[in-house]
Amino acid sequence: MEDRFVYADNAATTPIDPRVLEKMMPFLTTEYGNASTLYALGQSSHLALEEARRQVALLMNAEPGEIYFTGCGSEADNLALRGYLHSRQAKGKRHLITSCIEHHAVLYTAQALEKEGFDVTYLPVDRDGKVRLADLEAAIRPDTALVSIMFANNEIGTVNDIAAIGALCREKGVVFHTDAVQAYGHVPVDVKAMNIDMLSISGHKINAPKGVGALYIRKGILVEPQITGGGQEKNRRSGTENIASIVGLGEAARIKRENLEQEMTYLRGLSRKLIDGVLRMPQTILTGHPTDRLPGTCSFCINAIEGESLVLRLDMNGICASTGSACSTGSLDPSHVLLGIGLSHEISHGSLRLTLGKQNTEEDVDYILERLKDVVDVLRAMSPIWKA
Amino acid sequence: MEYSKKVMDHFAHPRNVGELPDANAVGMVGNQKCGDIMKMMLKIENDVIVDVKFQTFGCGAAVATSSMATEMVKGKTVQEALTLTNKAVMEALDGLPPVKVHCSVLAEEAIRAALADYYQRQGIDPTPYVGVIPACDDAHEHDHGAREEE
């Protein structure tokens, strides 16, 4: 096939939807009012802010008043973990439960909380990347304040049994937070049906701009603000609202809600084709759960080659992809997720993640498969450990 | 992290890559757990390296440093090749990101391992000439970037 550009790293970020940008433009130009002011210009921003809040809430079946906008998904995770634990410590609730394959926004925040004196349990996951319900149940203690388990994993795409985890936490009277940055807008999310108390999202994973996120906090849950100041977002997150980006997030949520089922079906089809094609190459494995996975996430380990080399050579062919190999991160160990699901260092060095988005086509997948095969052949030919 | 144009050139178009069936000096360093393995194959005649090939499993910097190292020893005497340092390989590539310095160390060690094999095949103890080449085993403290200051 002729050279083309294929963006297949939609779990890293997504392009802004033209409709989202169009909706944002007035707030980057003429509608620049501060939403906290009384005059008409400010009220226009205020109305836009509240409409965005409503749209973001609708896509997760929350009430608009339960949505708090933040600067990013990581900030939402920080606010949930730090804000909730700090509000509970006076009651003697000093225990947090999370999993070993969380995003670093949760993992490193948990480690920072440990340094403050909180107790943290890091649950293992099974070989598909799911938290086992029995492990969670066994870890809950009388002083457990919070459970934070990701909705879907960013590297391998595995979707946890969130409804079951939510039901268990509710039954045990423990607050449940989930990092849904990869899931929101990609699979159905229902905070009521799934008994979720707090949920983090990010704009740029759903075709909204970077630099905006939100935390859903169920009514009645107390969270201490991490940024104090002018009292925006009902005192939970001060700072003048980033109206344009919030409007973008609202519009992106509206579009996703309209197209969720259709997009899921489309991406599952594309992913099936890509996964089948890659697994036809010898000595390749799929990582993550075979079926309970994000519709667009295809993650593999390819034996006898190293992930960074693979990604660089794919880039030379116009394909954007990513890897969890150690060399890509500059650390000794491959990604904590790949090790967390029990893969060896040896296998993990050859990790490849291709994440498809709605803009990708069948031709893109054909192109990826053709060029990936060439690249793998070249790298294996120069690998001293390759044995056909 | 950014690679220099030279690193990308050697990564995209590695020199002297492949196998060398009539090699009389072969060295392999690193291991798969650490994520880099380099195999150097030299053909030495009258103490001169007349041909060289490499095979590498590893990142962009691992491939580029192997490639550059082969260019730097080709046509040289064994004594000259023994003076090759990781720093020289790095400089020839217009530098490496700090976390990738260990790749140049591995390239130097791979050449030395091949030369050690050359001595051994002649029944000569290589240690006085090439020193001790550290093995990358499980206990090895594989500290990326540790030799940056050298």
Side-chain angles (χ1 to χ4, degrees):
Chain A
M1 287 174 80
E2 238 176 77
D3 283 353
R4 57 164 66 200
F5 175 76
V6 178
Y7 184 75
D9 202 15
N10 288 274
T13 195
T14 56
I16 296 182
D17 188 298
R19 290 166 289 182
V20 168
L21 182 63
E22 195 188 335
K23 204 83 172 183
M24 290 169 65
M25 279 311 279
F27 300 94
L28 291 164
T29 52
T30 52
E31 303 292 319
Y32 51 80
N34 185 322
S36 304
T37 55
L38 294 173
Y39 39 79
L41 185 69
Q43 284 309 297
S44 154
S45 292
H46 176 74
L47 289 175
L49 177 65
E50 294 315 312
E51 172 58 14
R53 203 184 304 281
R54 196 176 72 84
Q55 292 295 347
V56 168
L58 275 173
L59 184 55
M60 63 171 86
N61 193 26
E63 301 304 320
E66 297 172 317
I67 303 297
Y68 299 83
F69 291 112
T70 63
C72 57
S74 294
E75 190 197 326
D77 285 338
N78 271 262
L79 178 57
L81 267 64
R82 292 176 198 270
Y84 188 68
L85 284 173
H86 286 160
S87 81
R88 292 282 85 191
Q89 59 183 340
K91 309 263 183 209
K93 300 258 187 182
R94 307 183 57 81
H95 182 223
L96 165 69
I97 299 171
T98 186
S99 86
C100 66
I101 65 163
E102 295 294 311
H103 188 274
H104 288 129
V106 167
L107 223 44
Y108 289 163
T109 304
Q111 287 171 13
L113 285 161
E114 273 187 287
K115 284 198 181 125
E116 287 182 35
F118 291 94
D119 238 14
V120 182
T121 300
Y122 300 91
L123 296 176
V125 292
D126 65 20
R127 51 186 294 178
D128 295 325
K130 282 193 184 193
V131 168
R132 284 174 290 248
L133 216 57
D135 289 344
L136 173 59
E137 187 162 10
I140 295 175
R141 315 191 307 215
D143 67 337
T144 303
L146 181 66
V147 169
S148 180
I149 305 284
M150 70 199 319
F151 204 115
N153 184 269
N154 48 307
E155 290 188 34
I156 55 175
T158 298
V159 178
N160 264 311
D161 300 326
I162 290 298
I165 293 171
L168 176 65
C169 291
R170 190 62 57 90
E171 181 200 317
K172 299 280 179 187
V174 176
V175 167
F176 172 43
H177 165 256
T178 184
D179 174 347
V181 163
Q182 294 291 342
Y184 180 74
H186 297 282
V187 290
V189 172
D190 186 326
V191 293
K192 290 195 178 85
M194 297 171 169
N195 292 304
I196 297 166
D197 297 306
M198 291 192 283
L199 177 142
S200 305
I201 67 164
S202 170
H204 73 107
K205 308 293 192 190
I206 58 165
N207 308 99
K210 295 160 188 68
V212 65
L215 180 64
Y216 151 80
I217 308 174
R218 189 165 66 87
K219 197 166 181 282
I221 306 277
L222 287 177
V223 171
E224 274 186 18
Q226 301 302 300
I227 299 177
T228 48
Q232 288 88 348
E233 299 299 288
K234 289 187 282 185
N235 264 325
R236 281 175 173 168
R237 203 282 190 177
S238 285
T240 300
E241 303 88 347
N242 179 358
I243 301 294
S245 292
I246 289 170
V247 165
L249 174 53
E251 179 66 0
R254 187 192 66 75
I255 294 168
K256 285 290 182 196
R257 189 162 51 87
E258 253 178 22
N259 301 293
L260 188 62
E261 287 299 325
Q262 185 195 335
E263 212 172 287
M264 281 171 59
T265 306
Y266 176 68
L267 287 178
R268 279 199 180 114
L270 276 192
S271 293
R272 192 68 261 162
K273 181 178 169 139
L274 180 58
I275 291 170
D276 288 347
V278 171
L279 294 183
R280 268 198 293 276
M281 297 194 301
Q283 299 184 36
T284 53
I285 58 162
L286 179 75
T287 56
H289 197 280
T291 51
D292 293 346
R293 52 191 303 129
L294 292 170
T297 298
C298 310
S299 56
F300 310 94
C301 285
I302 299 178
N303 191 32
I305 57 180
E306 192 279 323
E308 187 200 278
S309 280
L310 188 54
V311 166
L312 289 173
R313 283 210 172 248
L314 287 173
D315 184 40
M316 284 155 51
N317 284 276
I319 299 166
C320 304
S322 69
T323 175
S325 84
C327 292
S328 68
T329 58
S331 70
L332 170 57
D333 290 322
S335 107
H336 65 289
V337 176
L338 300 175
L339 297 180
I341 58 173
L343 295 177
S344 67
H345 279 67
E346 284 85 343
I347 294 295
S348 303
H349 286 305
S351 91
L352 173 69
R353 183 186 72 175
L354 296 159
T355 44
L356 303 173
K358 61 181 181 177
Q359 78 283 6
N360 290 121
T361 61
E362 294 256 347
E363 290 72 32
D364 286 347
V365 172
D366 289 332
Y367 180 78
I368 293 172
L369 289 171
E370 180 194 287
R371 296 302 172 101
L372 178 63
K373 192 184 173 304
D374 293 347
V375 165
V376 167
D377 285 348
V378 166
L379 289 172
R380 280 180 170 169
M382 71 163 85
S383 171
I385 53 170
W386 167 243
K387 288 185 195 76
Chain B
M1 189 194 74
E2 218 172 298
Y3 285 136
S4 70
K5 282 204 176 94
K6 270 209 181 137
V7 171
M8 282 312 293
D9 178 44
H10 275 262
F11 170 70
H13 311 286
R15 319 322 189 235
N16 308 309
V17 67
E19 292 182 84
L20 192 59
D22 58 346
N24 56 356
V26 178
M28 189 146 105
V29 293
N31 75 22
Q32 202 177 351
K33 190 182 177 192
C34 294
D36 313 279
I37 301 175
M38 287 184 197
K39 185 179 181 185
M40 286 286 172
M41 293 150 275
L42 311 177
K43 188 182 174 190
I44 302 172
E45 286 175 359
N46 302 320
D47 251 21
V48 175
I49 299 167
V50 293
D51 203 0
V52 52
K53 294 269 190 222
F54 81 90
Q55 285 189 308
T56 288
F57 160 86
C59 62
V63 173
T65 53
S66 320
S67 166
M68 180 55 89
T70 60
E71 282 210 315
M72 292 173 83
V73 299
K74 197 170 180 177
K76 299 284 166 61
T77 64
V78 169
Q79 284 67 34
E80 286 169 329
L82 280 169
T83 64
L84 180 78
T85 63
N86 79 295
K87 205 173 163 211
V89 173
M90 225 160 52
E91 278 167 7
L93 287 167
D94 293 339
L96 285 173
V99 296
K100 299 293 188 181
V101 172
H102 75 282
C103 293
S104 65
V105 175
L106 211 57
E108 178 199 313
E109 284 170 0
I111 295 285
R112 278 166 48 212
L115 294 172
D117 179 51
Y118 175 66
Y119 283 114
Q120 258 157 359
R121 288 188 194 207
Q122 299 171 69
I124 301 167
D125 175 17
T127 317
Y129 305 98
V130 304
V132 178
I133 296 151
C136 182
D137 55 33
D138 290 1
H140 178 45
E141 289 296 321
H142 189 134
D143 189 359
H144 288 211
R147 293 191 52 182
E148 191 191 356
E149 299 307 313
E150 289 190 12

